[in-house]
């Protein structure tokens, strides 16, 4: 479990996070929502120990993150970036094996146990058949699944994912999020930053909404995700509708300035 308690962070005189308090629950898929520049990535960096907050603290499993070593942090929380474009290409299994670096002594070769964990991670993500392929030859969706498999190989309790579907087409977005949802069912906690509130409606268990450097709303998706929240976050009017048990968010296009919609 991750607990953020009265966290404050500023870049010089620019306050980005102001008195942020929230929690990421076990076996829960939590979406972090908010417009560009609201502090989502900064919050991730504070949780991962890349930035030191001016006030407040982050606790991992009840222990302040400042008391963890770098390797201990890597064993607790794994990070999946938006994309990865290495200068040199590596076979997929080698990319995933990099997730074992927190467990492998310096200058030591990976053990058979490490290799077994890599194979298991590839299998869990449904990409074992890609093990020998070059990472840079994969599609965007396949690369993202490889990065998730690398994070799984760290065997952490929490996955932090910074807009993992931002560069993917619609089909791959749903495929990746479906696989991530399955990981939550197996016991992992996942925190995903996203610019797509519709994805939160479909996949999230909980939602944390940031606005003005503060937590605007937090809680179960069915309670927190409302047209009023979407309006406050993105300045867009929407209404929700349900079809076969699925909730859809429909924008009120007629209310957007400069947009004319005609239906023939």
């Amino acid at each position: 479990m991750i607990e953020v308690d009265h966290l404050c962070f500023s870049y010089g005189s620019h306050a980005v996070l102001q008195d942020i308090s929230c929690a990421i629950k076990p076996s829960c898929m939590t979406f972090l929502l908010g417009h560009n520049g609201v502090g989502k990535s900064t919050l991730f960096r504070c949780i991962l120990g890349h930035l030191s907050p001016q006030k407040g603290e982050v606790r991992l499993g009840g222990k302040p993150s400042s008391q963890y070593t770098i390797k201990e942090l890597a064993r607790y929380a794994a990070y999946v970036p938006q994309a990865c474009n290495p200068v040199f290409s590596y076979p997929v299994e080698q990319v995933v094996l990099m997730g074992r670096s927190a467990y492998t002594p310096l200058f030591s070769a990976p053990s058979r146990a490490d290799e077994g964990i890599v194979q298991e991670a590839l299998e869990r993500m449904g990409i074992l058949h890609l093990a020998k392929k070059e990472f840079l030859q994969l599609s965007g969706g396949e690369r993202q699944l490889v990065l998730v498999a690398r994070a799984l190989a760290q065997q952490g309790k929490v996955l932090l994912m910074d807009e993992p579907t931002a560069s993917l087409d619609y089909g791959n977005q749903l495929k990746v999020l479906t696989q991530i949802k399955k990981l939550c069912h197996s016991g992992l906690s996942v925190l995903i930053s996203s610019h797509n509130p519709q994805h939160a409606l479909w996949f999230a268990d909980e939602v944390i909404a940031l606005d003005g450097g503060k937590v605007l709303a937090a809680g179960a998706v069915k309670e927190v995700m409302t047209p009023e929240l979407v309006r406050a976050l993105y300045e867009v009017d929407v209404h929700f509708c349900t079809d076969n048990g699925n909730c859809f968010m429909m924008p009120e296009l007629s209310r957007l300035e400069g947009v004319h919609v005609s239906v023939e």
Side-chain angles (χ1 to χ4, degrees):
M1 182 175 181
I2 294 178
E3 298 169 284
V4 178
D5 188 16
H6 298 290
L7 192 73
C8 298
F9 184 86
S10 300
Y11 292 104
S13 60
H14 175 53
V16 179
L17 302 177
Q18 304 177 50
D19 198 32
I20 297 289
S21 293
C22 57
I24 312 305
K25 299 177 182 178
S27 303
C28 186
M29 192 170 186
T30 302
F31 268 65
L32 183 63
L33 302 178
H35 59 76
N36 288 329
V38 77
K40 299 188 297 295
S41 295
T42 299
L43 179 58
F44 274 16
R45 294 188 184 106
C46 288
I47 291 174
L48 292 165
H50 300 165
L51 295 174
S52 298
Q54 281 85 33
K55 294 182 181 179
E57 69 175 7
V58 176
R59 292 187 294 273
L60 308 176
K63 176 181 175 181
S65 61
S66 58
Q67 296 179 14
Y68 282 76
T69 65
I70 294 176
K71 282 194 172 184
E72 286 173 340
L73 277 172
R75 293 174 183 177
Y76 194 97
Y79 174 64
V80 179
Q82 291 184 29
C84 180
N85 297 297
V87 176
F88 302 102
S89 188
Y90 297 92
V92 164
E93 60 186 359
Q94 291 296 317
V95 174
V96 178
L97 188 58
M98 294 174 188
R100 299 301 300 162
S101 59
Y103 300 87
T104 306
L106 191 62
F107 304 122
S108 297
S111 66
R112 286 192 176 183
D114 291 325
E115 293 172 353
I117 290 169
V118 167
Q119 295 297 306
E120 181 181 352
L122 290 169
E123 189 170 2
R124 287 182 69 182
M125 297 310 299
I127 54 173
L128 185 57
H129 63 288
L130 299 177
K132 302 297 182 182
K133 288 195 173 183
E134 294 293 313
F135 181 77
L136 291 180
Q137 294 177 358
L138 302 180
S139 69
E142 289 171 335
R143 289 190 193 184
Q144 205 62 22
L145 291 174
V146 171
L147 296 179
V148 177
R150 183 179 67 181
L152 287 181
Q154 288 182 225
Q155 295 186 315
K157 295 178 174 59
V158 180
L159 292 182
L160 302 179
M161 313 186 78
D162 192 0
E163 298 182 42
T165 63
S167 60
L168 304 183
D169 62 53
Y170 184 69
N172 276 317
Q173 288 176 16
L174 299 183
K175 289 176 184 177
V176 169
L177 289 172
T178 298
Q179 291 292 341
I180 296 169
K181 186 70 173 181
K182 291 179 180 178
L183 298 178
C184 292
H185 293 160
S186 68
L188 282 173
S189 298
V190 179
L191 176 62
I192 297 180
S193 69
S194 176
H195 285 302
N196 193 329
Q198 179 66 72
H199 287 167
L201 279 174
W202 286 340
F203 293 97
D205 298 302
E206 302 253 331
V207 166
I208 299 170
L210 299 185
D211 186 55
K214 299 179 180 180
V215 175
L216 181 62
V221 63
K222 292 182 179 180
E223 299 174 1
V224 171
M225 284 296 295
T226 64
E228 291 76 20
L229 178 66
V230 175
R231 173 64 185 175
L233 290 178
Y234 306 110
E235 299 182 352
V236 174
D237 292 304
V238 299
H239 68 269
F240 291 175
C241 58
T242 303
D243 182 44
N244 292 326
N246 295 314
C247 189
F248 295 88
M249 187 177 64
M250 305 297 292
E252 301 283 0
L253 296 179
S254 61
R255 297 189 182 184
L256 291 177
E257 185 177 351
V259 175
H260 174 69
V261 180
S262 63
V263 179
E264 297 182 358

